[in-house]
């Protein structure tokens, strides 16, 4: 098997490669060539951690495997980030493990790529103001990908813990854009694209806050009980996601669905828009992409990184 350590990922994986891998795998899912396995995600009763597996098989890209890991909220005391994961790839012809790849940076890059792909297809024309809700580890990656693949001129942001807003200001400065911390009603009326990336368990962005045309990439909710958006806002919008069953069970749309404010038929897989089977935004005032994070995204970026690492002689071969 090939081993690509976490420390090598930054030098190998580019935002462009992550964007292309995620866009391609969403398209493969929509064509029925690739599918995700049911997610296992458990509160293990130790260190408040959420641990689990996300896996799948892409018959077109021949990627089979899983990402194992999760969210350890107290990791700061170990000088580690809260997300810890490893991707394991298997040979679909034999079942033998073929690679182990550090999954931390890849998770951030593939999650940021997913919201950037959603903006490519769903953002209102001429989107210039990016609104950020959330200022944790992932937020900087989200902002970088949005700016790289969009035409934004300004970033505005809000965070439940204002002391963390400096991360957004610093990231915008690094990207050469002005940043302003604003209240949620200003954020909702001024931003053309909003990315929400918090670990909230209660709605933050309310229906009254948002005046369209707006695209919202709701990226923080990946577990039962988490919530960033008012269900009334969800019910008002045209809805897209990476994987419909995940969206309704562990994603942002779980709440509006449980309250019978939306039905599964109203949610479209983003891949359908990518392959031209759905018009996308159309005349909708508000679109929402519920990025729940699917195993196939992890496999796609990990497979790309293994190829890059082998090409550069960086991957280590081990017998198992
Ligand atoms: P982090 O711990 O670095 O930052 C947490 C963020 O959430 C901060 O903005 C913080 O102010 C806010 N927050 C913390 N507790 C909160 C609470 N009780 N109520 C409201 N807000 C709260 O986390 P991160 O690494 O930036 O990840 C943010 C979220 O994104 C997490 O929920 C994580 O599980 C999720 N995530 C989703 C995907 C995906 O594919 N959809 C991938 C990676 C991470």
């Amino acid at each position: 098997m090939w081993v690509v350590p976490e420390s090598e990922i930054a030098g190998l994986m580019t935002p462009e490669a992550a964007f292309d891998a995620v866009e391609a795998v969403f398209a493969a899912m929509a064509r029925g060539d690739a599918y995700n396995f049911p997610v296992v995600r458990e509160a293990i009763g130790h260190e408040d951690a959420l641990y689990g597996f996300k896996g799948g098989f892409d018959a077109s890209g021949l990627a089979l495997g899983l990402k194992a890991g999760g969210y350890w909220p107290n990791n700061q005391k170990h000088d580690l980030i809260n997300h810890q994961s490893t991707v394991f790839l298997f040979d679909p012809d034999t079942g033998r493990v073929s690679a182990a790849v550090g999954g931390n940076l890849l998770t951030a890059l593939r999650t940021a790529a997913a919201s950037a792909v959603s903006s490519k297809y769903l953002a209102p024309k001429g989107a210039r103001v990016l609104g950020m809700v959330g200022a944790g580890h992932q937020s900087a990656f989200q902002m970088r990908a949005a700016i790289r693949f969009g035409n934004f001129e300004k970033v505005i942001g809000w965070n439940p813990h204002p002391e963390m807003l400096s991360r957004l200001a610093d990231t915008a400065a690094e990207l050469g854009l002005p940043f302003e911390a604003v209240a949620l009603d200003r954020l909702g009326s001024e931003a053309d694209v909003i990315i929400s990336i918090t670990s909230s368990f209660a709605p933050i962005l309310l229906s009254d806050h948002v005046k369209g045309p707006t695209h919202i990439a709701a990226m923080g909710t990946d577990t039962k009980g988490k919530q960033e958006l008012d269900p009334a806002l969800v019910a008002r919008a045209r809805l897209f996601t990476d994987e419909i069953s995940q969206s309704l069970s562990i994603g942002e749309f779980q709440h509006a669905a449980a309250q019978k404010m939306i039905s599964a038929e109203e949610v479209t897989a983003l891949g359908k828009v990518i392959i031209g089977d759905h018009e996308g935004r159309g005349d909708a005032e508000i679109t929402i992409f519920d990025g729940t994070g699917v195993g196939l995204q992890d496999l796609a970026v990990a497979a790309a990184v293994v190829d890059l690492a082998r090409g550069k002689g960086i991957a280590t071969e081990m017998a198992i």
Side-chain angles (χ1 to χ4, degrees):
M1 67 184 283
W2 295 99
V3 175
V4 185
E6 185 67 46
S7 56
E8 298 290 355
I9 306 293
L12 290 166
M13 197 65 183
T14 62
E16 282 74 17
F19 186 99
D20 291 347
V22 168
E23 187 178 43
V25 86
F26 284 169
M29 284 161 56
R31 283 193 301 267
D33 291 340
Y35 72 108
N36 293 288
F37 306 153
V39 173
V40 173
R41 197 156 165 94
E42 295 287 322
I44 58 171
H46 180 76
E47 286 291 347
D48 296 328
L50 291 170
Y51 173 72
F53 316 105
K54 283 184 171 179
F57 178 48
D58 178 356
S60 58
L62 285 184
L64 172 68
L66 60 90
K67 179 172 81 172
Y71 188 68
W72 269 256
N74 308 317
N75 265 1
Q76 231 174 358
K77 67 185 179 199
H78 303 293
D79 215 11
L80 293 170
I81 61 166
N82 296 340
H83 284 275
Q84 292 296 328
S85 62
T86 308
V87 183
F88 297 93
L89 298 175
F90 293 80
D91 179 346
D93 297 329
T94 63
R96 282 178 61 84
V97 63
S98 58
V101 183
N104 296 352
L105 179 57
L106 284 183
T107 298
L109 291 172
R110 65 80 150 143
T111 307
S115 74
V117 170
S118 83
S119 283
K120 170 178 169 181
Y121 290 95
L122 300 173
K125 271 204 175 64
R128 293 288 178 268
V129 179
L130 174 67
M132 295 293 308
V133 176
H137 178 73
Q138 304 288 329
S139 66
F141 294 89
Q142 289 286 330
M143 196 198 296
R144 286 192 197 107
I147 302 300
R148 194 164 192 124
F149 299 106
N151 281 313
F152 296 102
E153 292 169 352
K154 180 178 181 182
V155 184
I156 56 181
W158 184 89
N159 194 57
H161 306 101
E163 68 279 7
M164 294 172 76
L165 281 166
S166 56
R167 178 180 266 123
L168 298 181
D170 292 349
T171 309
E174 159 201 317
L175 299 164
L177 289 186
F179 172 78
E180 192 180 352
V182 296
L184 280 169
D185 53 351
R186 247 194 85 190
L187 187 136
S189 61
E190 288 182 22
D192 305 304
V193 171
I194 299 173
I195 298 173
S196 64
I197 184 77
T198 70
S199 37
S200 176
F201 281 82
I204 292 177
L205 202 58
L206 305 182
S207 188
D208 285 347
H209 290 145
V210 182
K211 315 256 179 305
T214 312
H215 172 58
I216 302 170
M219 306 305 295
T221 299
D222 54 1
T223 304
K224 207 166 177 49
K226 280 191 189 170
Q227 183 174 16
E228 300 188 289
L229 306 183
D230 182 357
L233 174 60
V234 173
R236 216 177 117 198
R238 188 173 281 193
L239 306 178
F240 300 86
T241 187
D242 41 26
E243 165 84 48
I244 294 171
S245 61
Q246 267 191 213
S247 162
L248 299 173
S249 55
I250 61 169
E252 188 59 46
F253 298 159
Q254 63 181 290
H255 305 285
Q259 292 172 41
K260 308 243 178 299
M261 295 170 77
I262 61 164
S263 65
E265 292 68 42
E266 291 169 73
V267 185
T268 302
L270 181 60
K272 293 277 181 203
V273 185
I274 297 172
I275 66 171
D277 271 7
H278 188 283
E279 65 166 347
R281 164 161 218 102
D283 59 1
E285 183 206 4
I286 299 170
T287 51
I288 302 177
F289 171 67
D290 180 7
T292 66
V294 295
L296 284 169
Q297 275 172 268
D298 298 303
L299 306 190
V301 289
V305 132
V306 171
D307 286 346
L308 289 164
R310 287 182 64 182
K312 292 188 169 179
I314 289 169
T316 307
E317 192 168 19
M318 297 179 82
I320 190 156

